[in-house]
Amino acid sequence: GAGVSQTPSNKVTEKGKYVELRCDPISGHTALYWYRQSLGQGPEFLIYFQGTGAADDSGLPNDRFFAVRPEGSVSTLKIQRTERGDSAVYLCASSRGGDNTEAFFGQGTRLTVV
Amino acid sequence: RKEVEQDPGPFNVPEGATVAFNCTYSNSASQSFFWYRQDCRKEPKLLMSVYSSGNEDGRFTAQLNRASQYISLLIRDSKLSDSATYLCVVKGAGSYQLTFGKGTKLSVIP
């Protein structure tokens, strides 16, 4: 079966532009996470969805970042007015939910803001 | 204090060596613990969950000490293919948020 799919795999954008990053979770997984990973660091939590709703968006760094999951499956992370400091690998993960269920990660989108 | 702290590494060990990674966490209410492995420029993948009684999977042994808020991973008979970054991960009670450590890089040398 297909794993978590993220597109694009790489994105280069100019400072100030708007970008959208897409995540296709594993079919049937109700929980979906977005993380951001900078070089030499562990993944940093951004937002968590249970179904269609954002159950926890406390990790979003500021109001330039927004994420949606309108039908409880595919999710889009949106970044407005990108800054060079937004450059990182954006990772999406999904799981069946519950305390000990495994979270499966996609290969990430490498965002470079120039 | 960071929520999850790991040995800074890197660890460079010869094939066949035994290597141990340590991790501490700050939230005493944390309930679930994991080790993830991340290869260079790849996504993190679950290596093993960590249980209070300790658990073993082949050459890998994970231990949890709740009183000390400490987690460890032991790798015996290291293989070249074990070279990767090992991430300590903690989840709070009733929480869904996985909190990652910075990771410890392991290089197994022929």
Side-chain angles (χ1 to χ4, degrees):
Chain A
V4 178
S5 175
Q6 291 188 246
T7 54
S9 54
N10 281 284
K11 175 72 177 177
V12 180
T13 190
E14 291 181 348
K15 179 175 177 295
K17 299 289 188 185
Y18 167 83
V19 296
E20 290 190 351
L21 312 180
R22 176 187 168 108
C23 173
D24 264 291
I26 292 171
S27 178
H29 281 193
T30 58
L32 185 146
Y33 309 76
W34 283 100
Y35 281 79
R36 176 169 74 172
Q37 186 172 26
S38 300
L39 192 63
Q41 303 294 318
E44 171 195 14
F45 172 78
L46 295 177
I47 187 169
Y48 163 78
F49 288 90
Q50 179 58 46
T52 59
D56 183 355
D57 64 358
S58 62
L60 294 177
N62 51 60
D63 62 5
R64 295 186 299 105
F65 289 74
F66 188 71
V68 295
R69 194 186 186 198
E71 297 176 357
S73 178
V74 170
S75 177
T76 305
L77 178 65
K78 308 180 181 194
I79 311 174
Q80 297 177 320
R81 304 184 304 280
T82 51
E83 299 177 357
R84 292 197 178 88
D86 299 335
S87 297
V89 176
Y90 289 80
L91 293 162
C92 176
S94 71
S95 78
R96 289 196 308 271
D99 273 350
N100 281 310
T101 58
E102 180 179 353
F104 294 85
F105 283 81
Q107 292 204 340
T109 294
R110 184 174 299 276
L111 175 67
T112 304
V113 182
V114 298
Chain B
R1 181 183 173 188
K2 289 190 184 295
E3 288 190 61
V4 180
E5 294 203 59
Q6 296 186 238
D7 287 339
F11 283 47
N12 299 312
V13 303
E15 272 187 288
T18 295
V19 60
F21 301 136
N22 302 315
C23 171
T24 57
Y25 59 96
S26 61
N27 186 349
S28 59
S30 299
Q31 288 295 317
S32 303
F33 310 89
F34 311 91
W35 284 99
Y36 274 70
R37 170 191 169 129
Q38 187 171 27
D39 291 290
C40 189
R41 299 179 77 89
K42 298 287 189 182
E43 74 276 20
K45 292 184 179 178
L46 179 67
L47 177 65
M48 58 198 304
S49 301
V50 187
Y51 304 117
S52 295
S53 54
N55 48 300
E56 187 173 311
D57 182 3
R59 297 181 293 109
F60 299 83
T61 301
Q63 296 278 353
L64 168 65
N65 183 322
R66 286 187 184 273
S68 302
Q69 294 178 206
Y70 169 90
I71 307 158
S72 66
L73 176 68
L74 185 77
I75 306 176
R76 291 181 300 278
D77 188 23
S78 300
K79 311 290 184 192
L80 296 176
S81 57
D82 294 334
S83 297
T85 295
Y86 290 83
L87 297 158
C88 177
V89 185
V90 171
K91 187 193 268 190
S95 170
Y96 28 75
Q97 186 181 133
L98 298 173
T99 302
F100 285 78
K102 195 172 174 179
T104 303
K105 186 174 180 181
L106 171 66
S107 294
V108 181
I109 303 160

CSV table of all heavy atoms in Angstrom, one decimal, chain A residues 50-91:
chain,number,residue,atom,x,y,z
A,50,GLN,N,-7.2,15.9,13.7
A,50,GLN,CA,-7.9,14.7,14.0
A,50,GLN,C,-9.2,14.8,13.1
A,50,GLN,O,-10.1,15.6,13.4
A,50,GLN,CB,-8.3,14.5,15.5
A,50,GLN,CG,-9.1,13.3,15.8
A,50,GLN,CD,-8.4,12.0,15.3
A,50,GLN,OE1,-7.2,11.8,15.6
A,50,GLN,NE2,-9.1,11.1,14.7
A,51,GLY,N,-9.2,14.0,12.0
A,51,GLY,CA,-10.3,14.2,11.1
A,51,GLY,C,-10.1,15.5,10.3
A,51,GLY,O,-9.0,15.9,9.9
A,52,THR,N,-11.1,16.3,10.2
A,52,THR,CA,-11.1,17.6,9.5
A,52,THR,C,-10.6,18.8,10.3
A,52,THR,O,-10.1,19.8,9.8
A,52,THR,CB,-12.4,18.0,8.9
A,52,THR,OG1,-13.4,18.1,10.0
A,52,THR,CG2,-12.9,16.9,8.0
A,53,GLY,N,-10.7,18.6,11.6
A,53,GLY,CA,-10.4,19.8,12.5
A,53,GLY,C,-8.9,19.8,13.0
A,53,GLY,O,-8.3,18.8,13.3
A,54,ALA,N,-8.4,21.0,13.1
A,54,ALA,CA,-7.1,21.2,13.7
A,54,ALA,C,-7.2,21.1,15.2
A,54,ALA,O,-7.7,22.1,15.9
A,54,ALA,CB,-6.5,22.5,13.3
A,55,ALA,N,-6.8,20.0,15.8
A,55,ALA,CA,-7.0,19.8,17.2
A,55,ALA,C,-5.9,20.6,18.0
A,55,ALA,O,-6.2,20.9,19.2
A,55,ALA,CB,-6.9,18.3,17.6
A,56,ASP,N,-4.8,20.8,17.4
A,56,ASP,CA,-3.8,21.6,18.1
A,56,ASP,C,-2.9,22.3,17.0
A,56,ASP,O,-2.2,21.6,16.2
A,56,ASP,CB,-2.9,20.6,18.9
A,56,ASP,CG,-1.8,21.3,19.7
A,56,ASP,OD1,-1.6,22.5,19.5
A,56,ASP,OD2,-1.1,20.6,20.5
A,57,ASP,N,-2.9,23.6,17.0
A,57,ASP,CA,-2.1,24.3,16.1
A,57,ASP,C,-1.1,25.2,16.8
A,57,ASP,O,-0.6,26.2,16.3
A,57,ASP,CB,-3.0,25.2,15.1
A,57,ASP,CG,-3.7,26.3,15.9
A,57,ASP,OD1,-3.6,26.3,17.1
A,57,ASP,OD2,-4.4,27.1,15.2
A,58,SER,N,-0.8,24.8,18.0
A,58,SER,CA,0.1,25.5,18.9
A,58,SER,C,1.5,25.7,18.4
A,58,SER,O,2.3,26.5,18.8
A,58,SER,CB,0.1,25.0,20.3
A,58,SER,OG,0.6,23.6,20.3
A,59,GLY,N,1.9,24.8,17.5
A,59,GLY,CA,3.3,24.8,17.0
A,59,GLY,C,3.5,25.8,15.8
A,59,GLY,O,4.6,26.0,15.4
A,60,LEU,N,2.4,26.3,15.2
A,60,LEU,CA,2.6,27.2,14.1
A,60,LEU,C,3.3,28.4,14.5
A,60,LEU,O,2.9,29.1,15.5
A,60,LEU,CB,1.2,27.6,13.5
A,60,LEU,CG,0.4,26.4,12.8
A,60,LEU,CD1,-0.9,26.9,12.4
A,60,LEU,CD2,1.2,25.8,11.7
A,61,PRO,N,4.4,28.8,13.9
A,61,PRO,CA,5.2,29.9,14.4
A,61,PRO,C,4.6,31.3,14.4
A,61,PRO,O,4.9,32.1,15.3
A,61,PRO,CB,6.5,29.9,13.5
A,61,PRO,CG,6.1,29.1,12.3
A,61,PRO,CD,5.0,28.2,12.7
A,62,ASN,N,3.7,31.5,13.5
A,62,ASN,CA,3.0,32.9,13.4
A,62,ASN,C,1.9,32.8,12.4
A,62,ASN,O,1.6,31.7,11.9
A,62,ASN,CB,4.0,33.9,13.0
A,62,ASN,CG,4.8,33.6,11.7
A,62,ASN,OD1,4.2,33.3,10.7
A,62,ASN,ND2,6.1,33.4,11.8
A,63,ASP,N,1.2,33.9,12.2
A,63,ASP,CA,0.0,33.8,11.4
A,63,ASP,C,0.2,33.8,9.9
A,63,ASP,O,-0.7,33.8,9.1
A,63,ASP,CB,-1.0,35.0,11.8
A,63,ASP,CG,-0.3,36.3,11.5
A,63,ASP,OD1,0.8,36.4,10.9
A,63,ASP,OD2,-1.0,37.4,11.8
A,64,ARG,N,1.5,33.7,9.5
A,64,ARG,CA,1.7,33.5,8.1
A,64,ARG,C,1.5,32.0,7.7
A,64,ARG,O,1.4,31.7,6.5
A,64,ARG,CB,3.2,33.9,7.8
A,64,ARG,CG,3.5,35.4,7.9
A,64,ARG,CD,4.9,35.7,7.4
A,64,ARG,NE,5.9,35.1,8.2
A,64,ARG,CZ,6.6,34.0,7.7
A,64,ARG,NH1,6.4,33.5,6.5
A,64,ARG,NH2,7.6,33.5,8.4
A,65,PHE,N,1.5,31.2,8.7
A,65,PHE,CA,1.3,29.7,8.5
A,65,PHE,C,-0.1,29.3,8.8
A,65,PHE,O,-0.7,29.7,9.8
A,65,PHE,CB,2.3,28.9,9.5
A,65,PHE,CG,3.7,29.0,9.1
A,65,PHE,CD1,4.4,30.2,9.4
A,65,PHE,CD2,4.4,28.0,8.5
A,65,PHE,CE1,5.8,30.3,9.1
A,65,PHE,CE2,5.7,28.0,8.2
A,65,PHE,CZ,6.4,29.2,8.5
A,66,PHE,N,-0.6,28.5,7.9
A,66,PHE,CA,-2.0,28.0,8.0
A,66,PHE,C,-2.1,26.6,7.4
A,66,PHE,O,-1.4,26.3,6.4
A,66,PHE,CB,-3.0,29.0,7.4
A,66,PHE,CG,-4.4,28.7,7.6
A,66,PHE,CD1,-5.0,28.9,8.9
A,66,PHE,CD2,-5.3,28.2,6.6
A,66,PHE,CE1,-6.3,28.6,9.2
A,66,PHE,CE2,-6.6,27.9,6.9
A,66,PHE,CZ,-7.1,28.1,8.2
A,67,ALA,N,-2.9,25.7,7.9
A,67,ALA,CA,-3.1,24.4,7.3
A,67,ALA,C,-4.6,24.0,7.3
A,67,ALA,O,-5.3,24.4,8.2
A,67,ALA,CB,-2.3,23.4,8.1
A,68,VAL,N,-4.9,23.3,6.3
A,68,VAL,CA,-6.3,22.8,6.2
A,68,VAL,C,-6.3,21.3,5.9
A,68,VAL,O,-5.4,20.8,5.3
A,68,VAL,CB,-7.1,23.6,5.1
A,68,VAL,CG1,-7.2,25.1,5.5
A,68,VAL,CG2,-6.4,23.5,3.8
A,69,ARG,N,-7.5,20.7,6.2
A,69,ARG,CA,-7.7,19.3,5.8
A,69,ARG,C,-9.2,19.2,5.6
A,69,ARG,O,-9.9,18.6,6.4
A,69,ARG,CB,-7.2,18.4,7.0
A,69,ARG,CG,-7.1,17.0,6.6
A,69,ARG,CD,-6.7,16.1,7.8
A,69,ARG,NE,-6.5,14.7,7.4
A,69,ARG,CZ,-6.5,13.7,8.2
A,69,ARG,NH1,-6.7,13.9,9.5
A,69,ARG,NH2,-6.3,12.5,7.8
A,70,PRO,N,-9.7,19.7,4.6
A,70,PRO,CA,-11.2,19.9,4.4
A,70,PRO,C,-12.0,18.7,4.4
A,70,PRO,O,-13.2,18.7,4.9
A,70,PRO,CB,-11.3,20.7,3.1
A,70,PRO,CG,-10.0,20.5,2.4
A,70,PRO,CD,-9.0,20.3,3.5
A,71,GLU,N,-11.5,17.6,3.9
A,71,GLU,CA,-12.3,16.4,3.8
A,71,GLU,C,-11.7,15.2,4.7
A,71,GLU,O,-12.1,14.1,4.6
A,71,GLU,CB,-12.4,15.9,2.4
A,71,GLU,CG,-13.1,16.9,1.5
A,71,GLU,CD,-13.1,16.5,0.0
A,71,GLU,OE1,-12.5,15.5,-0.3
A,71,GLU,OE2,-13.7,17.3,-0.7
A,72,GLY,N,-10.9,15.6,5.6
A,72,GLY,CA,-10.3,14.6,6.5
A,72,GLY,C,-9.3,13.7,5.9
A,72,GLY,O,-9.0,12.7,6.6
A,73,SER,N,-8.8,14.0,4.8
A,73,SER,CA,-7.8,13.2,4.2
A,73,SER,C,-6.6,14.1,3.8
A,73,SER,O,-5.7,14.3,4.6
A,73,SER,CB,-8.3,12.5,2.9
A,73,SER,OG,-7.3,11.7,2.3
A,74,VAL,N,-6.5,14.6,2.6
A,74,VAL,CA,-5.4,15.4,2.1
A,74,VAL,C,-5.4,16.7,2.9
A,74,VAL,O,-6.4,17.3,3.3
A,74,VAL,CB,-5.6,15.8,0.6
A,74,VAL,CG1,-4.6,16.8,0.2
A,74,VAL,CG2,-5.5,14.5,-0.2
A,75,SER,N,-4.1,17.1,3.2
A,75,SER,CA,-3.9,18.3,4.0
A,75,SER,C,-3.0,19.2,3.2
A,75,SER,O,-2.1,18.8,2.4
A,75,SER,CB,-3.3,18.1,5.3
A,75,SER,OG,-3.0,19.3,6.0
A,76,THR,N,-3.2,20.5,3.3
A,76,THR,CA,-2.3,21.5,2.7
A,76,THR,C,-1.8,22.5,3.7
A,76,THR,O,-2.6,23.0,4.5
A,76,THR,CB,-3.1,22.3,1.6
A,76,THR,OG1,-3.7,21.4,0.7
A,76,THR,CG2,-2.2,23.3,0.9
A,77,LEU,N,-0.5,22.7,3.7
A,77,LEU,CA,0.1,23.7,4.6
A,77,LEU,C,0.4,24.9,3.7
A,77,LEU,O,1.0,24.8,2.7
A,77,LEU,CB,1.4,23.1,5.2
A,77,LEU,CG,2.3,24.1,6.1
A,77,LEU,CD1,1.5,24.4,7.4
A,77,LEU,CD2,3.6,23.4,6.4
A,78,LYS,N,0.0,26.0,4.2
A,78,LYS,CA,0.1,27.2,3.4
A,78,LYS,C,1.0,28.2,4.2
A,78,LYS,O,0.8,28.5,5.4
A,78,LYS,CB,-1.3,27.9,3.2
A,78,LYS,CG,-2.3,26.8,2.7
A,78,LYS,CD,-3.7,27.5,2.5
A,78,LYS,CE,-4.7,26.4,1.9
A,78,LYS,NZ,-5.9,27.0,1.4
A,79,ILE,N,1.9,28.8,3.5
A,79,ILE,CA,2.8,29.8,4.0
A,79,ILE,C,2.7,31.1,3.2
A,79,ILE,O,3.0,31.1,2.0
A,79,ILE,CB,4.2,29.3,4.1
A,79,ILE,CG1,4.3,27.9,4.7
A,79,ILE,CG2,5.1,30.3,4.9
A,79,ILE,CD1,5.7,27.3,4.7
A,80,GLN,N,2.3,32.2,3.9
A,80,GLN,CA,2.2,33.5,3.2
A,80,GLN,C,3.5,34.3,3.4
A,80,GLN,O,4.2,34.1,4.4
A,80,GLN,CB,1.0,34.2,3.7
A,80,GLN,CG,-0.3,33.6,3.5
A,80,GLN,CD,-1.4,34.4,4.2
A,80,GLN,OE1,-1.3,34.9,5.3
A,80,GLN,NE2,-2.6,34.5,3.5
A,81,ARG,N,3.8,35.2,2.5
A,81,ARG,CA,4.9,36.1,2.6
A,81,ARG,C,6.1,35.4,3.2
A,81,ARG,O,6.7,35.7,4.2
A,81,ARG,CB,4.5,37.2,3.6
A,81,ARG,CG,3.2,38.0,3.1
A,81,ARG,CD,2.9,39.2,4.0
A,81,ARG,NE,2.7,38.8,5.4
A,81,ARG,CZ,1.7,38.2,6.0
A,81,ARG,NH1,0.6,38.0,5.2
A,81,ARG,NH2,1.6,37.9,7.3
A,82,THR,N,6.6,34.4,2.4
A,82,THR,CA,7.7,33.6,2.9
A,82,THR,C,8.9,34.4,3.3
A,82,THR,O,9.2,35.4,2.6
A,82,THR,CB,8.1,32.5,1.9
A,82,THR,OG1,8.2,33.1,0.6
A,82,THR,CG2,7.0,31.4,1.8
A,83,GLU,N,9.6,33.9,4.3
A,83,GLU,CA,10.9,34.5,4.7
A,83,GLU,C,12.0,33.5,4.6
A,83,GLU,O,11.7,32.3,4.6
A,83,GLU,CB,10.8,35.0,6.1
A,83,GLU,CG,9.7,36.0,6.3
A,83,GLU,CD,9.5,36.4,7.8
A,83,GLU,OE1,10.2,35.9,8.7
A,83,GLU,OE2,8.6,37.3,8.0
A,84,ARG,N,13.2,34.0,4.5
A,84,ARG,CA,14.4,33.0,4.4
A,84,ARG,C,14.4,32.1,5.5
A,84,ARG,O,14.8,30.9,5.4
A,84,ARG,CB,15.7,33.8,4.2
A,84,ARG,CG,15.7,34.6,2.9
A,84,ARG,CD,17.1,35.0,2.5
A,84,ARG,NE,17.1,35.7,1.2
A,84,ARG,CZ,16.9,37.0,1.1
A,84,ARG,NH1,16.7,37.8,2.1
A,84,ARG,NH2,16.8,37.5,-0.1
A,85,GLY,N,14.0,32.5,6.7
A,85,GLY,CA,14.0,31.6,7.9
A,85,GLY,C,13.0,30.5,7.8
A,85,GLY,O,13.0,29.6,8.7
A,86,ASP,N,12.1,30.5,6.8
A,86,ASP,CA,11.1,29.5,6.7
A,86,ASP,C,11.7,28.3,6.0
A,86,ASP,O,11.1,27.2,5.9
A,86,ASP,CB,9.9,29.9,5.8
A,86,ASP,CG,9.1,31.1,6.5
A,86,ASP,OD1,9.2,31.2,7.8
A,86,ASP,OD2,8.5,31.8,5.8
A,87,SER,N,12.9,28.4,5.4
A,87,SER,CA,13.6,27.4,4.7
A,87,SER,C,13.9,26.2,5.7
A,87,SER,O,14.4,26.4,6.7
A,87,SER,CB,14.9,27.8,4.1
A,87,SER,OG,14.7,28.9,3.2
A,88,ALA,N,13.4,25.0,5.3
A,88,ALA,CA,13.5,23.8,6.1
A,88,ALA,C,12.8,22.7,5.3
A,88,ALA,O,12.3,22.9,4.2
A,88,ALA,CB,12.7,24.0,7.4
A,89,VAL,N,12.9,21.5,5.9
A,89,VAL,CA,12.1,20.3,5.4
A,89,VAL,C,10.8,20.3,6.1
A,89,VAL,O,10.8,20.2,7.4
A,89,VAL,CB,12.9,19.0,5.5
A,89,VAL,CG1,12.0,17.9,5.0
A,89,VAL,CG2,14.2,19.1,4.7
A,90,TYR,N,9.7,20.3,5.4
A,90,TYR,CA,8.4,20.2,6.0
A,90,TYR,C,7.9,18.7,5.9
A,90,TYR,O,7.7,18.2,4.8
A,90,TYR,CB,7.4,21.2,5.4
A,90,TYR,CG,7.8,22.6,5.8
A,90,TYR,CD1,8.8,23.3,5.1
A,90,TYR,CD2,7.1,23.2,6.8
A,90,TYR,CE1,9.2,24.6,5.5
A,90,TYR,CE2,7.5,24.5,7.2
A,90,TYR,CZ,8.5,25.2,6.6
A,90,TYR,OH,8.9,26.4,7.0
A,91,LEU,N,7.7,18.1,7.0
A,91,LEU,CA,7.4,16.7,7.1
A,91,LEU,C,5.9,16.5,7.5
A,91,LEU,O,5.4,17.2,8.4
A,91,LEU,CB,8.2,16.0,8.1
A,91,LEU,CG,9.7,15.8,7.8
A,91,LEU,CD1,10.5,15.5,9.1
A,91,LEU,CD2,10.0,14.8,6.8
